[in-house]
Amino acid sequence: MIDQPGGADPVAAAAMAAAQLAREESALDQAISADRFATYLGAGAGDHALARALYIWDRDVSISILADIAILEVALRNAMHGALSAVWGVRWYENPDLMFDERTLGQLRRAWEELPAPVRKNRSDSRLPGRLVARCMFGFWANLLDAGGQVGLEPRRTKVDYEVMWRSALHSAFKGGPVEARAEGARYTRPWAHEALRTVNMLRNRVAHHEPLINGFPLPGQAQRLSAIDGHEACRKLARMIDRDLATWLDRSSQTPTLLATRPQP
């Protein structure tokens, strides 16, 4: 064999590169696990190369959606914190006039316990409410819009009505809510807003736990699954509910629509 100018034989180099790629793809297949990869094999009609491409596409879509929700989650908690503070003070979570059910109290307690001990001890620190609010997960805020549950022990066990919290404060957290509800032919109510938040929360939990989106995602109590496109639209809707200018910014900056439009095909 005649040596090529400049060194390595291109045929041998190509063979080595192909062998390396095959090892890397095999390592990826093993890392995914057979059960998980079967989802993508099914979506790719048994084509391993297509299944692998769908897996990477699914990862990229999930990352992009999570990036969008990172903006939404902060905006949501700030909007709801502001609405609650306007009625019950910036330390609304301590106000005895504001009733919470056991689930909410448990979530608040966990958020409180996650704060560093020196922060918890300095209760007069003006930064404390904001730091506690930042520890409250998306599900906490979504749950504040459900019907409310029970609190206390018998014989003083009591049903907490979250409609009171909605009518007194939380309806004002969503400036674009009435417009969005009317566009759907619906009334701007607590259950309507709760459903909007619940959908985004389910999507958030799915992508945060690296669950596949290739075949959509379920909502509790519903037989039909929502697609990744449905999930993205739910995020856009929530953004418009909070602030239409924020929604415009998110539409311009999000990579999700481009990724959704470039799903690998056979």
Side-chain angles (χ1 to χ4, degrees):
M1 180 177 294
I2 300 174
D3 290 340
Q4 298 296 315
D9 175 13
V11 175
M16 290 178 62
Q20 176 63 30
L21 178 60
R23 289 195 297 271
E24 293 170 359
E25 290 177 341
S26 176
L28 176 62
D29 292 351
Q30 293 179 42
I32 296 171
S33 83
D35 288 344
R36 185 177 178 87
F37 196 57
T39 299
Y40 299 92
L41 276 174
D47 184 328
H48 272 71
L50 178 57
R52 206 175 291 118
L54 287 170
Y55 182 82
I56 299 303
W57 172 84
D58 200 339
R59 176 206 63 180
D60 292 344
V61 170
S62 294
I63 291 171
S64 182
I65 287 176
L66 196 57
D68 294 343
I69 293 176
I71 300 294
L72 283 177
E73 187 163 352
V74 173
L76 173 68
R77 74 189 186 207
N78 286 341
M80 294 181 70
H81 173 52
L84 292 166
S85 298
V87 178
W88 289 288
V90 70
R91 296 173 184 268
W92 48 267
Y93 49 86
E94 295 179 356
N95 195 317
D97 294 331
L98 184 54
M99 294 292 294
F100 295 125
D101 63 18
E102 290 171 349
R103 177 174 56 179
T104 298
L105 290 173
Q107 291 170 324
L108 270 174
R109 183 175 61 254
R110 286 190 293 274
W112 176 262
E113 291 172 349
E114 288 176 359
L115 292 171
V119 174
R120 296 198 304 268
K121 290 178 180 178
N122 189 9
R123 296 179 73 103
S124 62
D125 189 342
S126 62
R127 297 171 298 175
L128 180 57
R131 297 183 73 167
L132 178 61
V133 163
R135 296 282 180 166
C136 294
M137 303 295 287
F138 198 114
F140 170 83
W141 304 104
N143 291 341
L144 291 184
L145 297 183
D146 71 9
Q150 301 285 332
V151 67
L153 300 173
E154 298 294 1
R156 297 194 61 175
R157 190 160 176 80
T158 304
K159 174 69 168 65
V160 179
D161 184 5
Y162 277 4
E163 187 70 23
V164 174
M165 190 163 27
W166 169 259
R167 293 181 180 274
S168 300
L170 290 182
H171 72 280
S172 66
F174 306 99
K175 296 181 292 185
V179 174
E180 288 300 307
R182 285 197 299 271
E184 295 180 359
R187 292 175 55 241
Y188 178 54
T189 62
R190 177 191 52 73
W192 179 87
H194 178 241
E195 187 64 24
L197 266 66
R198 188 176 74 134
T199 300
V200 176
N201 187 43
M202 292 300 300
L203 176 63
R204 176 201 180 279
N205 291 343
R206 191 162 186 88
V207 297
H209 291 92
H210 314 300
E211 292 295 327
L213 283 178
I214 193 77
N215 295 322
F217 64 102
L219 287 178
Q222 296 186 17
Q224 183 177 2
R225 297 170 70 88
L226 299 183
S227 68
I229 294 174
D230 293 331
H232 175 60
E233 289 303 318
C235 291
R236 296 182 67 224
K237 173 182 171 180
L238 179 56
R240 293 192 302 269
M241 288 169 59
I242 296 170
D243 187 314
R244 299 189 77 81
D245 289 334
L246 174 66
T248 300
W249 179 88
L250 197 64
D251 282 344
R252 187 174 66 251
S253 66
S254 175
Q255 300 301 308
T256 306
T258 299
L259 289 165
L260 290 172
T262 55
R263 172 172 170 156
Q265 300 296 329

